[in-house]
Amino acid sequence: MKRILLMVFRNIFLVPFMWIKLCYYASHVDKYPEEKRFAMLKFITSRANKGGNVTIEVHGEENIPEKDGFIFYPNHQGLYDVLAVAEACPRPFSVVAKKEVAEIQFLKQVFACMKAYMIDRDDIRQSMQVILSVAEEVKRGRNYLIFAEGTRSKNGNEVQTLKGGSFKAAVKAKCPIVPVALVDAFLPFDSNTIKPVTVQVHFLEPLYYDDYKHMKTTEIAEQVKERIQKAIGLQ
C-alpha cells in the first residue's frame, strides 16, 4: 500500500487526467484499436513504476514471436505481475484472470481495456467456454497471458505446480507457448516498503506447436515450469 501511495503522490498532477482517460477507454473499448489502448496502459505503468521506485529489467525480448497469435505463461507472484509484463512487452496482449480480481479498482479498468476474460474456476462450463474463446482469438492473431498456476505463490520466487488445463487454449490454437519467468514481482505490491526494487521479466524460448503436439497438457505444464525454474535459478 505504501508503494501505491508513493506512485500516486509522485504523479499527483497526472493521475486525475490518466484515471479519466483509463475509465473512458475501458467504457468505450471498441472505439480504440488494441495498439492504442495498450500504448496507454504502458504509459501509465511506466510512470507509476518510475514514481514508485520500481525498475523493470527485461531479458529475452528476442524470444517473443515475430507474428501475433501466441500465449505467455508466466509464474504468478501477485497483483503486480500483469503490469510488469505490460511494461516489458512491446506487443499488445490480453489476459485470462480469475473473476475474484474483476472488481478491484484500477485492475478492473486495465482488464477492461485489454478485453480480458474473467474465469470462474468453480464453473467448469464457463471455464471451458473461456478456453475455446481464447483459442479462437489467438488463431485470429491476438496474444494472451495465462497464469497456469491458477493462484499466486505465497513463497516469493518459488514456482507452484502449473495446471495442465491452462494449456488447452494453446493446444487448440496450435500457437507458440512463451514461458515467462518473473523474479521479485511480488515486491512492489506485496512488501510493505518503498525502497527501490528491481523486477526481472525473462521471456524464454517458446515452444512451437511441432514441439508439443504429441505431448499431454500435463507434460507441457511440467516442461514450462522447468524452464521458468531454471531461469529463476531454482534448479
Side-chain angles (χ1 to χ4, degrees):
M1 179 58 72
K2 287 183 179 179
R3 194 177 304 276
I4 295 175
L5 293 175
L6 182 65
M7 289 174 170
V8 172
F9 177 75
R10 287 185 170 174
N11 291 284
I12 193 65
F13 296 109
L14 183 65
V15 166
F17 171 73
M18 293 311 300
W19 175 249
I20 292 172
K21 187 173 183 178
L22 176 64
C23 290
Y24 186 81
Y25 272 46
S27 299
H28 303 80
V29 67
D30 291 323
K31 187 176 179 180
Y32 301 96
E34 185 169 39
E35 290 76 12
K36 188 169 184 177
R37 288 182 273 116
F38 189 70
M40 179 197 63
L41 294 177
K42 282 177 70 70
F43 175 78
I44 292 175
T45 302
S46 63
R47 290 300 296 261
N49 285 336
K50 185 176 181 180
N53 294 332
V54 181
T55 299
I56 304 296
E57 194 175 277
V58 185
H59 303 267
E61 188 175 321
E62 69 278 4
N63 288 321
I64 299 174
E66 295 182 0
K67 294 183 178 180
D68 288 327
F70 55 82
I71 301 179
F72 289 129
Y73 284 93
N75 53 313
H76 194 13
Q77 297 191 352
L79 296 174
Y80 182 78
D81 296 350
V82 172
L83 303 180
V85 180
E87 176 164 343
C89 184
R91 311 286 288 278
F93 65 89
S94 189
V95 179
V96 176
K98 58 185 180 181
K99 70 171 187 177
E100 287 82 356
V101 301
E103 297 305 317
I104 298 176
Q105 289 300 314
F106 181 65
L107 287 181
K108 175 182 179 180
Q109 286 76 22
V110 168
F111 288 149
C113 281
M114 290 179 134
K115 286 191 172 182
Y117 280 100
M118 298 295 112
I119 194 166
D120 184 350
R121 294 175 297 178
D122 296 324
D123 187 334
I124 296 177
R125 180 176 293 182
Q126 190 266 357
S127 299
M128 181 55 66
Q129 185 57 55
V130 167
I131 289 171
L132 294 174
S133 297
V134 169
E136 287 303 312
E137 290 198 18
V138 172
K139 287 179 183 178
R140 293 196 294 267
R142 291 199 80 205
N143 309 316
Y144 271 85
L145 180 152
I146 297 176
F147 292 112
E149 289 167 287
T151 188
R152 61 182 178 175
S153 172
K154 303 297 184 181
N155 298 304
N157 291 317
E158 181 179 324
V159 185
Q160 304 173 97
T161 299
L162 274 59
K163 295 176 171 58
S166 300
F167 293 88
K168 288 182 179 179
V171 172
K172 290 182 179 297
K174 300 181 180 180
C175 71
I177 291 171
V178 185
V180 181
L182 299 178
V183 181
D184 293 339
F186 63 94
L187 291 176
F189 287 173
D190 295 336
S191 62
N192 193 28
T193 177
I194 58 174
K195 293 180 179 179
V197 297
T198 297
V199 175
Q200 297 178 35
V201 180
H202 297 258
F203 297 106
L204 308 180
E205 186 177 347
L207 284 78
Y208 292 95
Y209 183 64
D210 284 344
D211 299 324
Y212 66 79
K213 64 182 179 181
H214 298 303
M215 298 169 63
K216 297 178 180 178
T217 53
T218 51
E219 294 173 332
I220 299 172
E222 187 58 34
Q223 187 169 139
V224 170
K225 179 182 177 180
E226 289 176 0
R227 293 191 182 192
I228 293 174
Q229 285 183 321
K230 185 176 181 180
I232 295 175
L234 297 179
Q235 286 186 331

